[in-house]
Amino acid sequence: MPAIEIRNLKKNFGKFQALKGISLKIEEGEIFGLLGPNGAGKTTLTNILATLLLPSGGSAKVMGHDVAKDFLEIRKIIGYTAGYASFIEHLTGWENMKFYAMAYGARPSMELVKIMGMEGKIHKQVSEYSSGMMQRLGFIVASIHDPKVLLLDEPTIGMDPNIAVSVRSYINSLRSKRTILLTTHNMYEAEDVCDRVGIISQGRIVALGTPAALKKKYRVKNLEGAFLKMTGMRLEV
Amino acid sequence: MFNIMKAIWYRNLVITKRSMPDLFSIFFWPLITPISMALFASFINSREAIIILLLGSISWSYAYSSQQDVSYSFLRDMWYRSVKKLRLIPTSTFSLIIGTWTYSIFRSIIVLLVTSGVALIFGFNLFSAEIWKLALVFFGMNLFGLFLGMMITSALLRFGQSAEVLAWSVVDALILISGIFYPVSVLPESIRWIAFFSPLSYALENLRGIFLSGIFDFGMLFSMYGLLAIYLIVGWAIFSREEKRAREKGFFQRYD
């Protein structure tokens, strides 16, 4: 059974078609990268998988659970963090983490704090955090309940390069232990951590394969070249 | 359900401890009306006026606190753009609402103790009445707070932050037409009928009855709980519909 199975998925916002019939399978333990320009449908797709948005047509399943019907089951097994995380400012990072840990029936994790390089900052109030620190806290909260599937929507955007390296190394360490769907603008990141990537443009998957296979197919040196060939546009970094 | 309730209590307690506006909403603002009303009643030198005005202002503060946490909790997550993370927690919306509502009961009881302490200074002991009678009336206000909280949250889900003004105005508007310091009969005829649909009218009238004539009106109590039962069913149906609509329209997507 694939960890994520999407069949002819559509999402309309009024007359605007954000997703125009996407089909995709992501196997258990796979790290899958979703690449695309702004407005291509990446966030819409991850939000549907996270059960925050109902599809207009087609179906999507996470570990066999339907996103429209079994949303509580799915929420138990997924972790999600988006590009610009935000938390209640009156609380410290630790207290925010503790709140989510309690809600998930888990325990706050100092190990995750260390991986994210937050040891010295975790007991400070979130109002003092930079956007990069918020982002790291978002990553910690997304992983606090040890989810089977991680949905990471631009997890390293806004992070210092050295922290981004440790986050990528953490993602790499989860290979074959967790299923990860990662959306990113960072081609280096996609090549570094993803087993397969899909390029999404205007609500459709226009290319799908391993980074090596895509480079070979489009006769380009890197993923950005493949991306340019498929979408005719440059990524905004 | 207990995990999310525990988590909400933990988070709200920390926020209350750290947030000056929150501390003021418990220990300062609820005192303004009782103190000013008690001073006014002392000035006109009427024991009956003291009881009416203090009962009214204690009830006003209690009713306000009763709905505050249910709607504020969601509003706070909108302000801090953390609605999305909250909605990812594997818990039903019912558990989320009940979690915030139980905290609002705790907060309103503290407000009641603070305001009744002020009343004691002016010679009025709220707890001279039988506690079970007070508990039945004030718990009705808590249930009405739950209904209002669900309705305000529904409005926030539909109209976004522009509806936040409802969180601090609805109770004030309702309490005025529910006979806060006066019987409903003194209201202009054109708006008097509205009071019959407000559970607060029955709560206030019953409280005055307990202290002024020694009569606890079970008919009014049943009317209040009857209305509350209808409102809670309707409120839940509206809230569930708005919640589903929010998932269709991508509301939660906008708050992270």
Side-chain angles (χ1 to χ4, degrees):
Chain A
M1 177 183 69
I4 296 174
E5 188 173 14
I6 301 166
R7 283 188 185 169
N8 197 25
L9 192 70
K10 293 174 185 158
K11 180 64 193 176
N12 305 332
F13 294 104
K15 286 181 183 168
F16 175 69
Q17 289 181 286
L19 299 179
K20 298 170 182 168
I22 283 183
S23 296
L24 182 66
K25 278 183 188 174
I26 301 173
E27 297 302 327
E28 228 173 299
E30 190 178 8
I31 302 180
F32 185 89
L34 195 59
L35 315 176
N38 286 335
K42 302 187 297 292
T43 300
T44 300
L45 181 60
T46 48
N47 275 292
I48 289 175
L49 294 173
T51 74
L52 293 167
L53 192 59
L54 286 169
S56 307
S59 69
K61 287 181 179 175
V62 179
M63 304 301 285
H65 301 292
D66 188 287
V67 291
K69 294 175 198 152
D70 314 322
F71 60 96
L72 287 182
E73 286 307 310
I74 292 177
R75 287 176 193 179
K76 284 179 196 164
I77 54 171
I78 61 160
Y80 176 97
T81 187
Y84 296 95
S86 181
F87 292 90
I88 301 274
E89 289 184 1
H90 293 102
L91 274 64
T92 64
W94 182 265
E95 287 162 346
N96 268 295
M97 173 172 57
K98 192 174 170 187
F99 164 70
Y100 285 101
M102 286 169 97
Y104 278 102
R107 285 177 172 278
S109 163
M110 203 57 204
E111 192 192 335
L112 279 168
V113 171
K114 282 180 188 161
I115 289 168
M116 292 297 138
M118 293 277 286
E119 302 98 306
K121 319 259 172 38
I122 198 70
H123 293 293
K124 285 196 181 342
Q125 257 181 257
V126 162
S127 54
E128 295 175 32
Y129 281 17
S130 65
S131 58
M133 284 157 70
M134 288 276 209
Q135 184 66 3
R136 281 184 269 165
L137 184 58
F139 205 96
I140 292 169
V141 165
S143 312
I144 197 76
H145 55 298
D146 204 12
K148 287 181 181 167
V149 177
L150 271 172
L151 305 171
L152 308 176
D153 195 358
E154 315 222 16
T156 57
I157 199 167
M159 279 184 184
D160 291 338
N162 56 330
I163 300 294
V165 166
S166 59
V167 169
R168 274 183 219 123
S169 132
Y170 177 63
I171 294 172
N172 266 320
S173 76
L174 297 175
R175 190 179 307 280
S176 71
K177 294 178 201 148
R178 302 275 176 276
T179 305
I180 298 176
L181 172 63
L182 169 86
T183 77
T184 183
H185 276 152
N186 187 329
M187 294 291 133
Y188 168 75
E189 185 167 281
E191 288 204 55
D192 182 33
V193 300
C194 297
D195 299 314
R196 277 193 310 149
V197 294
I199 296 174
I200 184 170
S201 178
Q202 297 180 337
R204 287 195 176 91
I205 300 263
V206 291
L208 191 64
T210 63
L214 286 181
K215 284 189 282 187
K216 194 175 169 190
K217 184 177 177 185
Y218 296 104
R219 293 177 190 164
V220 287
K221 284 181 187 167
N222 51 39
L223 270 181
E224 189 165 13
F227 179 84
L228 282 168
K229 279 205 170 177
M230 289 314 300
T231 64
M233 60 180 86
R234 230 168 241 291
L235 283 167
E236 293 165 34
V237 178
Chain B
M1 183 166 181
F2 289 108
N3 282 342
I4 188 68
M5 278 177 66
K6 232 167 44 181
I8 287 172
W9 270 71
Y10 167 73
R11 188 176 79 160
N12 287 10
L13 278 170
V14 177
I15 292 172
T16 302
K17 204 172 68 182
R18 291 236 177 91
S19 154
M20 201 48 92
D22 252 48
L23 286 172
F24 264 55
S25 75
I26 296 174
F27 297 106
F28 180 71
W29 298 119
L31 305 183
I32 301 295
T33 318
I35 290 174
S36 53
M37 287 299 165
L39 287 170
F40 172 66
S42 304
F43 171 66
I44 59 172
N45 197 21
S46 159
R47 175 73 190 152
E48 194 179 34
I50 284 191
I51 293 172
I52 291 172
L53 294 174
L54 279 172
L55 271 178
S57 44
I58 287 170
S59 307
W60 194 339
S61 300
Y62 193 88
Y64 190 85
S65 313
S66 295
Q67 65 88 32
Q68 199 178 19
D69 274 282
V70 183
S71 45
Y72 266 41
S73 189
F74 186 68
L75 200 49
R76 193 182 281 128
D77 282 298
M78 281 175 92
W79 289 334
Y80 292 110
R81 322 291 292 182
S82 53
V83 173
K84 200 167 170 178
K85 270 187 286 299
L86 192 71
R87 291 302 158 122
L88 282 167
I89 294 169
T91 188
S92 65
T93 312
F94 179 76
S95 308
L96 267 178
I97 289 281
I98 294 300
T100 55
W101 179 61
T102 52
Y103 188 80
S104 85
I105 295 176
F106 165 71
R107 180 202 277 267
S108 55
I109 288 171
I110 293 181
V111 166
L112 183 72
L113 293 175
V114 172
T115 50
S116 58
V118 168
L120 211 53
I121 295 169
F122 290 93
F124 171 61
N125 183 6
L126 180 75
F127 298 107
S128 61
E130 286 170 280
I131 298 295
W132 66 270
K133 290 178 182 169
L134 294 177
L136 281 172
V137 173
F138 282 107
F139 186 66
M141 289 193 215
N142 287 125
L143 287 174
F144 193 52
L146 173 61
F147 164 71
L148 290 178
M150 283 194 293
M151 295 308 289
I152 292 165
T153 309
S154 299
L156 288 167
L157 284 169
R158 176 160 284 243
F159 304 110
Q161 267 174 268
S162 56
E164 71 178 58
V165 67
L166 295 173
W168 44 82
S169 61
V170 166
V171 168
D172 293 348
L174 275 173
I175 206 126
L176 286 178
I177 55 158
S178 302
I180 173 80
F181 300 122
Y182 35 80
V184 168
S185 57
V186 305
L187 289 170
E189 214 167 311
S190 55
I191 58 167
R192 197 181 305 156
W193 63 273
I194 305 172
F196 292 105
F197 295 101
S198 166
L200 291 176
S201 308
Y202 302 95
L204 289 161
E205 203 64 51
N206 233 340
L207 279 178
R208 281 194 288 267
I210 294 171
F211 288 95
L212 294 177
S213 55
I215 295 167
F216 185 67
D217 190 331
F218 280 96
M220 272 197 208
L221 191 76
F222 288 133
S223 301
M224 179 177 81
Y225 277 99
L227 275 177
L228 285 168
I230 295 167
Y231 287 170
L232 287 172
I233 291 166
V234 171
W236 179 249
I238 293 171
F239 182 74
S240 303
R241 197 192 62 193
E242 288 306 322
E243 175 89 2
K244 185 166 182 265
R245 187 181 174 275
R247 280 182 73 207
E248 281 165 0
K249 300 278 179 188
F251 177 88
F252 301 123
Q253 199 166 324
R254 297 200 293 272
Y255 286 91
D256 199 23

